[in-house]
């Protein structure tokens, strides 16, 4: 070991440890909150790139590693498995010099006191360099390897989107753009574009989204002109459609029933002078809602509650508008959260469908006659989307669909869907339901 001790600040060591924990079912975002503390600020972006990149391409990287290994790495050696995938990721997808990628990954194994794996990792990565084209061709021969997607999810997307599945899978493996929501209550989009240009920041309007801009190059949100004053927020263009679809009018009572982290709540308050109740089950995430609203300089009732079991003061009134952004598989936002590929399982979907239906049925009585409920997910799966709403409409005689007439997204049997990558957007599903 040459006297070496583990170095938690080494970017590859840090990434290997975080990726090992990802196998335990924890999200990258949660892991990074504490996992970057020992890493220098200069290297934190690199650790994030390692973690998100390996998660994005893991099914493909694992297939390639399987071709190179004579036998699988034991589950207890998760850090070694992570280093192998990390080395392959650098050689295939990053601009790290190949010799540096190999040497630094091998050194990380030494720092992790995995002496037995040093020679293995070195030989494996060097063999990949020699046989690169053959190994990549073998990975591409199988759709699971080509699109780096778990088999069950690939099949679900191919079934639900027979004409679009390949474009969807390609888009999920792309780095997402940084999209902005201009606060139209304080400035218009053209004014803010000029403000960005004056700061040397290039951006373009998002089609079909009056408040939306997409940056040419991502940057720190707090460095955006007027961000701390609430003139602009970071939000995907597809998510910005919600406030538009709610057809808000001043003075209305509005419920955002699954509000955290508060992006859509903030947009609602920017769109009209309404009385908003932002409710969520997670008290910790509600703090994010409060912070978002405070930065925008708006006031709403922020309350903890269970949308599946409405009770308390927020459930004792009726609302003109309800936004129901239900818990879902999040398969429409994989390009932003690639660890969804690893964390989500086929058996999760029926449980999500069940709770979505329970929430929709529980919240519906809180809508005034003549009111509008917007059912929303960031899922691509029909069971969670149009089939969920269709089942509800069959069971609720006082509900009818208000057809979304728009030139964005795709018309579904009920509701409308955006797909990842189209017009810069993530994948969102929306259905407008009116109470008769």
């Amino acid at each position: 070991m040459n006297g070496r001790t583990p170095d938690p600040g080494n970017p590859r060591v840090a990434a290997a440890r975080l990726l090992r924990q990802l196998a335990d079912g924890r999200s990258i975002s949660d892991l990074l909150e504490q996992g970057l503390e020992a890493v220098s600020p200069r290297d934190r972006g690199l650790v994030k790139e390692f973690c998100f990149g390996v998660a994005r391409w893991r099914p493909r990287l694992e297939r390639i590693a399987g071709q190179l290994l004579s036998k699988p790495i034991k589950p207890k050696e998760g850090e070694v498995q992570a280093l192998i995938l990390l080395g392959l990721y650098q050689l295939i997808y990053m601009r790290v010099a190949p010799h540096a990628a190999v040497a630094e990954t091998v050194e990380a194994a030494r720092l992790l006191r995995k002496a037995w794996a040093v020679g293995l990792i070195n030989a494996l990565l060097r063999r990949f360099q020699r046989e690169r084209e053959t190994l990549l061709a073998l990975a591409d021969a199988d759709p699971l390897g080509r699109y780096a997607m778990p088999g069950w999810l690939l099949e679900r997307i191919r079934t639900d989107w027979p004409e679009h599945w390949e474009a969807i899978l390609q888009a999920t493996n792309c780095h997402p753009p940084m999209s902005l929501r201009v606060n139209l209550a304080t400035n218009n989009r053209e004014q803010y574009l000029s403000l960005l240009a004056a700061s040397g920041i290039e951006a373009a309007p998002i089609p079909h989204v009056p408040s939306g801009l997409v940056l040419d190059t991502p940057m720190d949100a707090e460095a955006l002109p007027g961000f701390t004053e609430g003139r602009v927020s970071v939000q995907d263009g597809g998510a910005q459609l919600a406030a538009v679809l709610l057809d808000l009018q001043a003075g209305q009572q509005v419920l955002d029933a699954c509000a955290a982290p508060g992006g859509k709540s903030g947009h609602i308050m920017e769109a009209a002078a309404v009385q908003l109740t932002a409710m969520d089950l997670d008290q910790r995430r509600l703090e994010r809602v409060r912070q978002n609203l405070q930065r925008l300089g708006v006031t709403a009732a922020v309350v903890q509650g269970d949308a599946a079991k409405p009770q308390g003061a927020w459930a004792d009134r009726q609302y003109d508008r309800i936004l129901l952004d239900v818990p879902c598989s999040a398969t429409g936002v994989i390009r932003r959260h690639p660890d969804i590929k690893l964390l989500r399982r086929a058996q999760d979907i029926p449980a999500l469908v069940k709770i979505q239906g329970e929430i929709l049925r529980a919240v519906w009585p809180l809508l005034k006659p003549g009111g509008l409920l917007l059912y929303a997910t960031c899922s691509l799966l029909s069971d969670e989307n149009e089939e969920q709403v269709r089942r509800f409409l069959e069971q609720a005689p006082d509900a009818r669909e208000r057809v979304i007439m728009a030139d964005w997204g795709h018309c579904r049997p009920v509701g409308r869907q955006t797909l990842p990558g189209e017009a810069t957007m993530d994948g969102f599903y929306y259905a407008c339901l009116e109470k008769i």
Side-chain angles (χ1 to χ4, degrees), residues 315-375:
D316 290 337
R317 66 176 69 99
Q318 290 201 312
Y319 298 89
D320 301 285
R321 298 287 185 269
I322 296 177
L323 172 58
L324 198 57
D325 191 357
V326 294
C328 72
S329 64
T331 45
V333 293
I334 288 176
R335 62 180 186 165
R336 296 191 189 279
H337 305 283
D339 49 344
I340 289 167
K341 294 182 184 183
L342 313 177
L343 300 174
R344 195 70 66 235
R345 299 285 185 268
Q347 57 266 32
D348 297 337
I349 306 306
L352 286 166
V353 169
K354 181 174 182 291
I355 189 63
Q356 291 159 2
E358 290 173 356
I359 290 173
L360 182 50
R361 290 187 295 272
V363 169
W364 183 252
L366 306 184
L367 185 67
K368 294 179 181 178
L372 178 71
L373 182 147
L374 180 63
Y375 177 89

Side-chain angles (χ1 to χ4, degrees), residues 7-26:
D7 178 9
N10 179 288
R12 289 164 180 81
V13 169
R17 286 176 164 168
L18 291 170
L19 288 165
R20 179 190 60 76
Q21 293 178 75
L22 186 62
D24 298 334
R26 298 180 62 190

Side-chain angles (χ1 to χ4, degrees), residues 74-284:
K74 294 178 180 178
K76 68 178 183 179
E77 298 292 352
E79 290 171 348
V80 173
Q81 174 74 2
L83 283 177
I84 290 171
L85 302 181
L86 178 55
L88 292 171
Y89 174 70
Q90 293 169 83
L91 292 172
I92 300 171
Y93 297 108
M94 293 185 71
R95 295 179 179 178
V96 180
H99 70 275
V102 174
E104 293 294 336
T105 304
V106 168
E107 176 64 11
R110 289 194 179 98
L111 292 171
L112 284 165
R113 295 177 175 169
K114 302 293 184 181
W116 67 270
V118 168
L120 171 68
I121 293 173
N122 183 62
L124 184 148
L125 295 181
R126 292 189 182 282
R127 182 182 162 198
F128 171 78
Q129 289 178 281
R130 295 193 302 272
E131 303 176 19
R132 177 188 179 103
E133 298 309 317
T134 299
L135 290 164
L136 292 179
L138 282 171
D140 286 339
D142 184 341
L144 276 66
R146 183 162 66 251
Y147 296 114
M149 186 67 67
W152 74 269
L153 184 53
L154 188 152
E155 289 304 317
R156 291 293 295 270
I157 292 174
R158 182 153 54 184
T159 298
D160 288 354
W161 296 95
E163 297 179 6
H164 302 279
W165 69 273
E166 289 184 285
I168 291 171
L169 296 180
Q170 288 169 355
T172 61
N173 286 327
C174 294
H175 286 268
M178 183 171 176
S179 300
L180 307 180
R181 184 187 77 238
V182 177
N183 185 347
L184 299 183
T186 60
N187 46 194
N188 63 44
R189 184 161 65 178
E190 290 68 31
Q191 288 172 332
Y192 194 74
L193 268 172
S194 298
L195 192 60
L196 289 175
S199 299
I201 303 169
E202 297 186 15
I206 298 176
H208 323 301
V209 184
S211 54
L213 294 173
V214 61
L215 295 180
D216 283 12
T217 304
M219 60 182 293
D220 182 4
E222 294 192 359
L224 290 165
F227 180 81
T228 55
E229 294 82 23
R231 296 185 66 178
V232 69
S233 300
V234 178
Q235 188 179 41
D236 182 76
Q240 295 180 47
L241 295 168
V244 177
L245 291 170
L246 281 168
D247 188 22
L248 298 162
Q249 306 296 325
Q252 287 179 330
Q253 289 284 340
V254 179
L255 173 66
D256 186 351
C258 302
K264 295 183 180 72
S265 291
H267 196 191
I268 287 169
M269 296 299 294
E270 294 170 2
V274 299
Q275 301 296 313
L276 175 67
T277 299
M279 188 277 295
D280 200 89
L281 183 62
D282 190 329
Q283 185 67 264
R284 183 177 59 88

